[in-house]
Amino acid sequence: MNNDVPEIGSPARTKAILNRYRLVAKKSLGQNFLSDLNILRNIVSAADVTDNDNVIEIGPGIGALTEQLARRARRVVAFEIDENLLPVLDETLMPYDNVKIINQDILKANLPEVIQNEFEPGHPIKLVANLPYYITTPILMGVLKSNVTFDQIVVMMQAEVADRLVAEPGTKAYGSLSVVMQYRAHVEVAFNVPRTAFIPQPNVDSAIIRLTPRAALPVEPYSDQALYGFVKGCFAHRRKSLWNNLQGIFGKQPEVRERIEAVLDKVEISRQLRPERLTLINFIELVNAFHADGLM
Ligand code: SAM
């Protein structure tokens, strides 16, 4: 590699690349390019990427994070939806022979198939990305539902969404996203990123979230999908009581209401509680109890 060329994520090089290709960042695709080498390196460190790791990246943009990943990882496969960025990535990532760009919408990708085709088995698989913010939740839900077991997920998102992911019961930010994510992983904020670190600057601040496989829970739900649907239903009207939301899920017929009441008594949860008071374990116990009762 030519050592005179500054790294992609330096402000000077980012500006030069954008000028050279006459690129105008597309707001509709969440294009805010991170141009701070310290932050980029810290993201890779937060995922503890080593040359034994295979990495999936979502939205490489002009390649700033991809370059830092390529330097430390065994192999990097990155999904980029914007075909205008392909010639740029061809040039910026030329020095790295361990990177493959797939021009595809991540929401339509078959992750298990890509992983099987692109990565040699027997190495940790990590997901590291500066996510397009307009689809953060669908991407995370898609990743969880894909059943790929990532050894580590380190992703940048809008700080407000990050707050929801790590929120604890009883707080304003706690909702179905918190419960579902915390069910699948240990979730923590690795560090915050100011809007000034991007070109162009977004109008929100950002945070890096780290998801690590969690320790076994004392109780598991009878089905993951049932838990996801149930939790979503319980938070459908977060200002209403759990009791009201449960009738929204199962129905209001007198016989159904009696059964809901019996299940709540059995798991010792008050009808008057608001959904945001329930812990992950409460939700799992409820879903299992409704299943045992035959309502689910
Ligand atoms: N990784 C670069 C960085 O850190 O500077 C760019 C990150 S930028 C926030 C998000 C990137 O995701 C853009 O390159 C955008 O084109 C891409 N993108 C947006 N929607 C996508 C989708 N559905 N599938 C794959 N990539 C997408």
Side-chain angles (χ1 to χ4, degrees), residues 40-61:
L40 285 159
R41 290 186 196 121
N42 287 343
I43 295 174
V44 182
S45 297
D48 196 18
V49 173
T50 74
D51 59 6
N52 193 31
D53 296 337
N54 288 322
V55 178
I56 294 278
E57 188 194 355
I58 298 166

Side-chain angles (χ1 to χ4, degrees), residues 28-35 40 57-66 79-82 85 104-107 129-135 139 156 198:
S28 61
L29 291 178
Q31 289 179 355
N32 300 98
F33 303 111
L34 187 52
S35 52
L40 285 159
E57 188 194 355
I58 298 166
I62 59 171
L65 180 58
T66 324
F79 290 89
E80 175 54 64
I81 197 173
D82 186 355
L85 294 175
Q104 195 182 16
D105 178 350
I106 185 64
L107 298 178
N130 171 11
L131 293 176
Y133 294 176
Y134 72 108
I135 44 169
I139 289 177
M156 173 139 65
F198 299 85

Side-chain angles (χ1 to χ4, degrees), residues 208-219:
I208 305 289
I209 284 279
R210 179 167 42 214
L211 296 112
T212 320
R214 63 158 169 74
L217 290 169
V219 48

Side-chain angles (χ1 to χ4, degrees), residues 101-131:
I101 305 293
I102 299 181
N103 180 209
Q104 195 182 16
D105 178 350
I106 185 64
L107 298 178
K108 296 190 180 140
N110 182 339
L111 271 182
E113 194 180 281
V114 170
I115 284 169
Q116 197 187 354
N117 292 343
E118 299 293 340
F119 293 146
E120 230 175 73
H123 299 274
I125 301 176
K126 297 183 175 176
L127 171 65
V128 184
N130 171 11
L131 293 176

